Amino acid sequence: MGGWAAVILPSSILTNTGIHTKAREILLRYFYIKGIVELGSHTFMKTNANTVILFLERRDDGDCVGVQREVDQFFATKTDVTAAGVENAFSLYVSNVYEGLAFADKVGRLLSKMDGVQTKVPQKDILEHGEVPVVSQDSKKLILGYCDQVTPITDLPVVLMGDHTCVFKYVDFPFACGSDNTRLLKFDDGRIIPKFAYYILNNTKIQNQDKYERHFKYVKELYIPVPPLGIQRKFVSEMERLETEFAQINAKIQKL
């Protein structure tokens, strides 16, 4: 560990496939590449091949074991990891290699500030009929009831989250919250389509979801995928189509 070397190799070692790929794996497994000097053809005697000098520092043999463990963890959990001391290594790699493609980001960094009121209605004021629909963390239905003489929430759309229940609801109409135990997630639609975020969160298991506690602290630290907006729109469109088909099939079943 810690030894240095300068190795002269054909420049094809950096890009070619086959045996060159295996050679790169060995180099990256056992050495830090500290520098590369690219030379032209005929630099060394009669060879007309382009050559490079790699300046290498020997790594500890255990490094590759730790990195492999972190890679395996990433593919098992689909959650970014710190690899070889690099925080969020996979997100960083994708953002640097694929221009315009963000791999994932924390929910908390995808939220924006809401404008206007965030009206919450006590249970005793919720009516069977009224002017403003009330949406709560109840998992059985979107609208819990109605209320009158309140200013509705109009900075839309939002994703309503039950802080205790981990129920997520997509709301795109003026409404009031029906519980103190709700969070309103206003997503930055320049980065992520709110309904795309809703579908992702609605199909994500939240840490300690089965325990009675507040869960927003876990959700805001959760990494979710952030593909290009065009891909998000296609995803949302397909999910909406499937929901419509499901509703139609369910309606037919109810008539049997």
Side-chain angles (χ1 to χ4, degrees):
M1 176 182 176
W4 285 74
V7 184
I8 300 169
L9 294 167
S11 59
S12 55
I13 191 73
L14 302 176
T15 55
N16 283 11
T17 57
I19 193 173
H20 299 82
T21 301
K22 186 62 178 178
R24 286 196 297 274
E25 289 178 0
I26 293 172
L27 288 171
L28 292 172
R29 180 181 291 268
Y30 295 109
F31 299 93
Y32 296 109
I33 298 178
K34 309 300 287 188
I36 301 175
V37 175
E38 187 172 5
L39 306 172
S41 60
H42 299 288
T43 301
F44 298 98
M45 303 297 288
K46 294 184 178 180
T47 178
N48 61 358
N50 292 328
T51 53
V52 294
I53 302 175
L54 301 184
F55 293 91
L56 310 173
E57 182 183 4
R58 185 69 163 87
R59 306 178 63 152
D60 185 282
D61 288 345
D63 286 353
C64 61
V65 176
V67 171
Q68 186 62 56
R69 182 172 58 248
E70 289 149 359
V71 170
D72 292 342
Q73 179 185 340
F74 165 74
F75 283 106
T77 64
K78 306 299 186 293
T79 302
D80 211 344
V81 296
T82 298
V86 179
E87 185 179 359
N88 302 322
F90 291 91
S91 301
L92 186 62
Y93 171 79
V94 170
S95 63
N96 285 333
V97 174
Y98 301 98
E99 184 177 355
L101 177 61
F103 180 84
D105 207 346
K106 287 183 179 181
V107 169
R109 291 201 290 249
L110 296 169
L111 298 176
S112 59
K113 185 179 180 181
M114 284 193 66
D115 295 326
V117 298
Q118 298 185 36
T119 307
K120 293 187 177 182
V121 180
Q123 181 70 32
K124 62 181 180 63
D125 294 335
I126 299 177
L127 310 171
E128 188 175 347
H129 303 284
E131 296 180 356
V132 179
V134 177
V135 181
S136 75
Q137 62 176 341
D138 183 282
S139 61
K140 296 180 180 179
K141 50 188 176 181
L142 176 59
I143 297 176
L144 181 64
Y146 296 86
C147 61
D148 293 322
Q149 298 179 344
V150 299
T151 302
I153 297 164
T154 57
D155 188 11
L156 305 167
V158 296
V159 176
L160 182 144
M161 173 194 168
D163 211 354
H164 287 308
T165 62
C166 291
V167 169
F168 294 95
K169 297 181 179 181
Y170 178 77
V171 189
D172 58 358
F173 51 84
F175 74 105
C177 287
S179 170
D180 288 334
N181 298 319
T182 55
R183 292 276 186 166
L184 298 180
L185 311 184
K186 177 68 176 179
F187 285 93
D188 178 1
D189 57 12
R191 297 190 59 200
I192 188 167
I193 296 172
K195 201 166 191 179
F196 176 84
Y198 157 72
Y199 283 128
I200 296 299
L201 291 172
N202 203 38
N203 289 278
T204 300
K205 184 171 178 58
I206 309 303
Q207 183 177 341
N208 291 345
Q209 184 170 328
D210 299 328
K211 296 182 179 180
Y212 186 78
E213 61 174 302
R214 294 187 181 275
H215 294 84
F216 179 67
K217 59 181 178 287
Y218 303 124
V219 171
K220 69 180 181 180
E221 297 298 319
L222 187 69
Y223 278 88
I224 62 174
V226 189
L229 292 175
I231 294 177
Q232 294 183 41
R233 293 188 188 96
K234 291 180 181 178
F235 178 88
V236 170
S237 178
E238 181 63 15
M239 289 296 293
E240 290 175 337
R241 183 186 68 79
L242 292 173
E243 286 181 334
T244 299
E245 288 185 5
F246 178 80
Q248 292 171 345
I249 293 171
N250 192 50
K252 292 179 181 179
I253 292 173
Q254 297 300 319
K255 293 180 180 180
L256 297 178

